[in-house]
Amino acid sequence: MTQQTLEDNIGQSRSGLTAPIALSALLAITWVVTLSAVGAAAYLAPLGLLMAGGAAWLVACAISGRSWALAGMLGFAIVVPNIYFQRQELHEAVGLNAQNGLKLLLWTAMGAVGLARLTKYRALMNDRAIQSISIFALIAIASTLWSRTPAYTAVGSIGFLAAIMFCCAVAAEISEEAVYKTVVASFVIYAALNVAAAIALPETAWLFPHGETEAPRLQGISSHPNILGKEMASFICLLLPLALAYGRKRTAYILVALAIAIIIATHSRTSLGAIIITLALPIIARPTVAKSVAYILAIAITGALLSLAVGFVPNLQALLDGASRTSDGSEILTLTGRTELWGFVWDKILDAPFLGHGFNAADAVLSREWWGAPDASVGAHNTWLQSLLTTGVVGTIPFVYFHAELIRRWFSDPNTLTRLISTYILILGMTEVEIAAHPVMLTITVLLIVAMDVRRKQKVTVTS
């Protein structure tokens, strides 16, 4: 090694230490100032400052294109926002508190990374599915101008666009295998936290209904059993196609079984039914299987018609009562009151059919006049009605096109990574708002798997 090379290496080492030393000095000075101004309470400041400094460093590394930092941010976005650590009163979710503040900071960081890495994933933006969902996000941002809750609309819609850009950046700059490992690690951590909470903190991890006929439902560290069920289903739709692509069948089946077990413990019938259909459809779609299924259906329909012809009519009310959590069959027929809500939502859609009432403004529009259960009016409980209510026909057109494009790919490309997630969001969207509202785990899952599928088709080279 020459003297010049040695000096260059020493210079690079010193320059590499400059940022950590400067950050440490800044944190130390901030702590001393805080300690002198606030007093004893500031003794906890070093921990907060360390976390803030570490987060800022992670985001800075992700902005510079470090693959490990992008993977770290992805893992954080998948797990941490789902942890419910602050109770919120009904219809007060629009306020800025620690829970919402965390999401705001995350969306800001994702947007900063997305903007900084735009040139690296620009080719992905030529895809029709990504273009259509991006147009939906831009219309959602524009709806801030006429929204009843402009601040909440602005934050949620900008966060939606930030999620699109961030997922495209991850897909373009991290290998599929690295994403798979990140998803597996995130799932193991989140599932372990929920199982541990179910064992160690049963009073908070289980939802105990008031009715004696209802069984306790697992909500873990999430905000609600239904939310936890959807999160587990999201993991399945993201993890399984990646695992199968890399021959990790045994690992995939074990983790999927764990996720389904958690869904069963949540008693989330919608998520359980949707994920079962989602997993079954690709198998049923095979020609040999489809023929057998057609025979079985024909026999079943024939048997039912013969039973009716001879006068055998089963007690449908007893069947419905047995399928209901509360032993009330009307719960099944009205989809837990959703059919009444949909009529009310439709009337509100007609008040502003073209532009809607503003992205994420459903709660403010519905809760003031809704006569039913108070917790039902936080959203339209239907993806398409939610989109029409908040962004109108103008926003719903690209939103529908996005789903139509995913359906087209389901039929045209058996190897598409979006096959599971496209089926799941269509089924779940019949009774939930999901990706028509501010970005949650399922939204990130959808955007990430779509972007990865596009990169695979375009053969975009991983840059780092």
Side-chain angles (χ1 to χ4, degrees):
M1 180 181 294
T2 63
Q3 181 67 25
Q4 182 63 38
T5 303
L6 180 62
E7 291 177 356
D8 291 342
N9 289 339
I10 294 174
Q12 291 175 1
S13 300
R14 288 175 177 173
S15 62
L17 292 173
T18 302
I21 292 174
L23 181 60
S24 300
L26 177 61
L27 293 177
I29 294 172
T30 305
W31 178 52
V32 172
V33 172
T34 305
L35 187 63
S36 61
V38 180
Y43 280 109
L44 295 176
L47 179 60
L49 292 172
L50 182 62
M51 294 176 63
W57 178 60
L58 178 67
V59 173
C61 291
I63 289 175
S64 66
R66 305 288 180 85
S67 57
W68 63 266
L70 287 167
M73 276 192 65
L74 175 62
F76 185 93
I78 290 176
V79 174
V80 177
N82 303 322
I83 301 175
Y84 189 70
F85 57 84
Q86 185 176 29
R87 183 173 296 278
Q88 297 178 154
E89 296 298 328
L90 191 62
H91 307 305
E92 291 184 0
V94 297
L96 181 61
N97 51 30
Q99 191 86 44
N100 293 334
L102 175 64
K103 294 178 181 179
L104 176 59
L105 291 174
L106 175 62
W107 296 339
T108 302
M110 292 168 71
V113 173
L115 286 174
R117 312 305 301 170
L118 179 60
T119 56
K120 300 297 182 180
Y121 63 83
R122 185 172 293 170
L124 301 184
M125 301 302 292
N126 295 326
D127 179 73
R128 288 179 291 183
I130 294 179
Q131 285 180 344
S132 58
I133 200 64
S134 299
I135 293 172
F136 171 77
L138 292 173
I139 294 172
I141 294 173
S143 70
T144 303
L145 299 174
W146 57 85
S147 172
R148 291 192 183 183
T149 55
Y152 194 54
T153 294
V155 170
S157 56
I158 293 174
F160 197 104
L161 183 61
I164 296 173
M165 296 189 296
F166 175 76
C167 289
C168 287
V170 169
E173 302 199 62
I174 303 181
S175 67
E176 288 184 9
E177 188 173 7
V179 173
Y180 165 71
K181 292 179 180 179
T182 302
V183 172
V184 169
S186 301
F187 171 77
V188 171
I189 292 172
Y190 192 57
L193 289 174
N194 280 285
V195 172
I199 298 172
L201 303 170
E203 293 184 357
T204 57
W206 293 88
L207 180 64
F208 295 91
H210 297 292
E212 296 181 357
T213 59
E214 298 183 61
R217 306 176 62 192
L218 177 63
Q219 64 182 11
I221 57 175
S222 186
S223 60
H224 191 274
N226 291 341
I227 301 297
L228 180 58
K230 287 184 284 188
E231 290 164 354
M232 290 296 108
S234 300
F235 269 119
I236 293 174
C237 294
L238 180 58
L239 184 151
L240 187 56
L242 292 175
L244 295 179
Y246 287 93
R248 307 291 200 273
K249 291 184 178 181
R250 182 178 299 178
T251 302
Y253 294 154
I254 293 174
L255 296 181
V256 167
L258 175 59
I260 291 178
I262 294 176
I263 295 174
I264 293 173
T266 66
H267 290 249
S268 177
R269 295 169 301 187
T270 303
S271 288
L272 181 61
I275 198 63
I276 289 175
I277 296 173
T278 296
L279 296 175
L281 272 181
I283 300 174
I284 296 174
R286 297 173 183 173
T288 55
V289 178
K291 185 180 296 185
S292 300
V293 171
Y295 287 142
I296 294 172
L297 287 176
I299 293 172
I301 293 173
T302 302
L305 292 175
L306 289 174
S307 298
L308 293 175
V310 299
F312 175 74
V313 181
N315 187 348
L316 296 179
Q317 186 62 45
L319 293 175
L320 293 173
D321 291 343
S324 171
R325 292 196 193 103
T326 60
S327 298
D328 183 1
S330 63
E331 180 188 45
I332 303 297
L333 294 175
T334 64
L335 298 177
T336 322
R338 284 179 173 85
T339 53
E340 296 177 344
L341 176 66
W342 292 340
F344 179 75
V345 170
W346 183 252
D347 291 336
K348 294 300 178 182
I349 290 174
L350 296 180
D351 292 339
F354 297 106
L355 298 178
H357 296 275
F359 186 75
N360 266 355
D363 189 4
V365 174
L366 301 176
S367 60
R368 297 178 183 180
E369 301 177 24
W370 170 241
W371 62 83
D375 60 343
S377 61
V378 295
H381 284 282
N382 179 279
T383 300
W384 319 109
L385 292 179
Q386 178 81 6
S387 179
L388 285 169
L389 178 69
T390 57
T391 62
V393 174
V394 174
T396 303
I397 290 175
F399 188 71
V400 170
Y401 185 88
F402 171 76
H403 287 79
E405 181 62 21
L406 295 187
I407 294 172
R408 185 192 66 79
R409 294 174 187 182
W410 196 99
F411 287 100
S412 63
D413 183 9
N415 297 318
T416 178
L417 294 175
T418 64
R419 218 168 193 216
L420 294 183
I421 199 67
S422 59
T423 305
Y424 180 70
I425 60 174
L426 283 172
I427 299 172
L428 190 69
M430 296 178 184
T431 57
E432 302 291 345
V433 300
E434 292 321 310
I435 66 170
H438 67 264
V440 291
M441 180 185 168
L442 180 56
T443 309
I444 294 175
T445 300
V446 172
L447 298 175
L448 178 62
I449 203 72
V450 169
M452 292 178 66
D453 195 57
V454 173
R455 191 196 74 182
R456 172 182 282 192
K457 293 177 180 178
Q458 295 183 349
K459 297 181 180 180
V460 178
T461 304
V462 177
T463 58
S464 61

